[in-house]
Amino acid sequence: MSRIVVVGIGADGMAGLTPASSAELNRATVIYGSKRQLDLLDESVIAERRDWGRPFRDALYAIRDFDGDVHVVASGDPMLHGVGASLIGLCGADRVTVLPHVSSVTLACARLGWSVQDTEVISLMNAQPRAAVRRGGQAIVLCRDGSGPGELATVFADAGRGDSPMTVLEQLGGPAERRRDGTAAVWASTPPGGVDDLNVVAVRYLPDERLLSVLPDDVLAHDGQLTKQSMRAVTLAALAPRPGELLWDVGAGSGSVAVEWCRSGSSCAAVAFERDEVRRARIAANAFMFGVNVEVRGAAPEAFADAELTDGGVTGVQTPAAIFIGGGLTTPGLLDACLQRLPSGGRLVVNTVTAESEMVLLQYYSNLGGQLRRFQHYRGEAVGGFTGWRPAMPVTQWVVRKP
């Protein structure tokens, strides 16, 4: 069986490689990599050099189907947001050997005196700068090119993180290594110039407003149409998000449930369906402020037209692991359309406060089973010089898993 050997290389080129990595490159007959990484190889490497080209996926298939051993040169640690994991996923771990170099993340933390385990790693290779917004903590952001630091600063300042200290580190580990320090607010107005494409940005998010619990209502923009904090807590428990899963939030209102879903676990994402244009803009703003991945679409079930079922799953919109319906339940065909597009084993959670919507729920519950609950919450409020209980509207919730 032919072997695929992935060799990590730093900005210091061949001089920084271990003997084992150098030996692999010296025996190679064909080496794939980006032009920047291939240019780091010296004359001792006589193999044919092949640039990745476009689309990148075609090069991965070419490596998989190569007749004989093939080598790949990659930046830093190929298993950290790198090609190593992609090749293992495509070709299997038994065919791929990875020889890592010191990662840019480890080098950046060493320069800053940060512990790696306390530092989040965010890659913008396939994401927009808004994906790096956080409410606190510290992160190393892997940028696509030299425009990344300025774009990040603008996004952070717009998200209320203008006081955040930022450091751009270029050509880490190489002879041209450079460090520049600033703040998001300063760099948003005057971005650092001439930043090398090989850079990472270290940021310590200020003010630190991290919350691990369900968010208070007043930190979300809304017009009153949002699932309140106490109900959001029990709704998230019913939805039971797992890492990497997708939620459809139907009748999203302010998008509060979609935002909480994304905050709850690693790589969780959501699609919010909302009829009102103003509310759609508000959902996007809430997602931006918390740096979460929420795609905003129009009214359901009309917007489901881009999510037609096929033999391979759902096209247009990724198959949801769970669907939450927070509004519009009496819309003709809505509940049937949601159930149709929910995969086997998927979870459906519906909250309602009106008698008409409750009648719809009871009918489906009698046919499909699941769990039916009613929640009643009270708030303590002043009654003259005393305190009394003010009831919120009772919420009926139906939870069901599709067979």
Side-chain angles (χ1 to χ4, degrees):
M1 181 174 61
S2 61
R3 296 173 61 228
I4 301 167
V5 182
V6 186
V7 177
I9 191 168
D12 52 353
M14 298 285 292
L17 294 180
T18 64
S21 294
S22 296
E24 281 292 346
L25 293 176
N26 288 329
R27 80 171 188 86
T29 56
V30 172
I31 301 176
Y32 280 84
S34 72
K35 182 179 185 305
R36 183 175 65 208
Q37 290 143 9
L38 293 172
D39 287 346
L40 292 171
L41 306 180
D42 62 23
E43 64 278 359
S44 68
V45 179
I46 61 174
E48 177 189 349
R49 305 178 188 189
R50 297 184 182 180
D51 195 302
W52 287 119
R54 293 289 186 271
F56 175 69
R57 191 79 177 170
D58 287 352
L60 296 183
Y61 288 133
I63 292 170
R64 180 195 63 184
D65 300 334
F66 192 82
D67 185 15
D69 290 354
V70 60
H71 289 67
V72 174
V73 63
S75 180
D77 184 351
M79 297 302 292
L80 181 66
H81 294 287
V83 71
S86 299
L87 284 169
I88 289 173
L90 183 65
C91 307
D94 55 338
R95 282 192 63 194
V96 181
T97 299
V98 179
L99 302 176
H101 193 272
V102 178
S103 73
S104 58
V105 172
T106 297
L107 288 172
C109 287
R111 302 293 187 267
L112 295 163
W114 291 0
S115 61
V116 178
Q117 70 268 20
D118 295 329
T119 304
E120 185 179 0
V121 180
I122 303 171
S123 174
L124 298 184
M125 300 305 168
N126 295 301
Q128 296 300 313
R130 63 180 177 84
V133 173
R134 297 293 184 270
R135 307 291 286 186
Q138 62 192 37
I140 302 296
V141 185
L142 312 179
C143 296
R144 274 182 295 213
D145 53 41
S147 66
E151 293 173 351
L152 282 171
T154 299
V155 167
F156 294 158
D158 290 345
R161 311 266 86 87
D163 291 337
S164 301
M166 297 178 65
T167 299
V168 58
L169 297 150
E170 305 160 64
Q171 290 284 335
L172 272 166
E177 180 176 321
R178 178 166 62 166
R179 167 179 176 166
R180 282 180 274 181
D181 298 284
T183 65
V186 171
W187 281 358
S189 59
T190 309
V195 178
D196 191 271
D197 285 343
L198 186 61
N199 75 84
V200 301
V201 173
V203 55
R204 185 163 57 86
Y205 298 97
L206 294 178
D208 192 336
E209 299 173 332
R210 287 174 290 177
L211 289 173
L212 301 180
S213 60
V214 175
L215 297 168
D217 295 341
D218 59 6
V219 302
L220 293 157
H222 63 89
D223 58 1
Q225 292 296 312
L226 87 162
T227 303
K228 303 301 189 292
Q229 183 186 38
S230 54
M231 274 308 303
R232 240 179 296 135
V234 296
T235 299
L236 262 290
L239 287 167
R242 302 180 66 183
E245 288 189 329
L246 179 76
L247 171 76
W248 284 9
D249 185 356
V250 178
S254 65
S256 61
V257 171
V259 168
E260 298 283 15
W261 171 277
C262 295
R263 292 179 66 245
S264 67
S266 172
S267 302
C268 284
V271 180
F273 297 90
E274 172 55 48
R275 182 178 303 277
D276 185 87
E277 183 178 356
V278 174
R279 288 176 180 167
R280 288 199 296 269
R282 195 175 287 120
I283 294 168
N286 282 328
F288 171 76
M289 291 300 291
F290 288 91
V292 295
N293 183 11
V294 179
E295 179 183 348
V296 185
R297 298 213 175 196
E302 295 89 340
F304 292 170
D306 294 331
E308 296 299 330
L309 285 174
T310 68
D311 290 342
V314 174
T315 60
V317 183
Q318 182 189 348
T319 305
I323 296 177
F324 170 65
I325 303 177
L329 186 62
T330 56
T331 301
L334 175 63
L335 194 45
D336 284 334
C338 289
L339 287 166
Q340 180 192 12
R341 288 165 173 81
L342 193 66
S344 178
R347 292 97 65 194
L348 175 69
V349 177
V350 185
N351 289 356
T352 186
V353 296
T354 68
E356 290 79 5
S357 295
E358 191 172 288
M359 289 174 62
V360 175
L361 280 193
L362 290 171
Q363 179 182 354
Y364 278 82
Y365 169 70
S366 64
N367 292 330
L368 300 177
Q371 295 177 307
L372 197 63
R373 309 181 179 111
R374 173 171 284 183
F375 297 93
Q376 176 72 72
H377 296 91
Y378 296 82
R379 298 184 302 270
E381 294 186 2
V383 181
F386 298 92
T387 301
W389 294 107
R390 177 82 63 184
M393 294 183 69
V395 178
T396 300
Q397 182 181 86
W398 179 45
V399 181
V400 68
R401 185 179 293 271
K402 186 173 178 178

